[in-house]
Amino acid sequence: MNQTIDLELNVTTEQGLRALAEEGHTVEVLCKADPERKGPSWYGLWIMRTVGSDGQEKILVTARTRMTQNAIRMREFKTATGVISFLVGVGFSQASIPMKNGETTSHRLVSD
């Protein structure tokens, strides 16, 4: 007996995140480690997720690294510049970055 089970994972790739943001989902930046300043740059650990109007969350994962077949890794940003570059690349005109472990900032694309 062959049955097909549709599973909806709570993860998304960069391309999926862009599409969800364009559909009106909020993109949240979560700080996972207090950043520290080294020279002119800030180093820490941030992850991102989308949140739909229904409250459903999807965590950003990377499709570039497969440690084992079918492995999924959360995409981690280790510099504030990396977070800013990613958000601008998605289409945001502003970037707000949480600077304390556990804090979150939210971003929404604005239609003209």
Side-chain angles (χ1 to χ4, degrees):
M1 168 168 38
N2 288 355
Q3 289 183 325
T4 302
I5 299 173
D6 291 328
L7 295 175
E8 185 165 338
L9 299 175
N10 63 341
V11 297
T12 187
T13 61
E14 181 176 335
Q15 185 178 11
L17 183 137
R18 289 173 196 258
L20 290 169
E22 289 172 2
E23 292 173 12
H25 290 235
T26 300
V27 174
E28 292 185 344
V29 180
L30 292 82
C31 182
K32 301 301 274 181
D34 286 342
E36 61 181 75
R37 188 173 182 173
K38 295 179 185 175
S41 300
W42 286 91
Y43 293 84
L45 183 62
W46 296 270
I47 62 169
M48 293 192 199
R49 68 178 173 209
T50 63
V51 181
S53 58
D54 60 358
Q56 184 177 10
E57 299 176 0
K58 291 190 179 272
I59 296 173
L60 179 64
V61 296
T62 179
R64 290 180 278 163
T65 304
R66 300 276 185 198
M67 296 183 104
T68 62
Q69 192 172 7
N70 298 323
I72 296 174
R73 276 194 54 202
M74 192 173 357
R75 175 123 182 231
E76 298 176 336
F77 297 85
K78 296 185 179 171
T79 66
T81 302
V83 174
I84 293 167
S85 296
F86 182 84
L87 291 171
V88 169
V90 169
F92 294 102
S93 60
Q94 297 181 16
S96 179
I97 303 171
M99 298 298 284
K100 288 190 179 177
N101 185 20
E103 289 185 345
T104 303
T105 58
S106 298
H107 302 79
R108 276 185 93 93
L109 288 176
V110 179
S111 301
D112 292 336

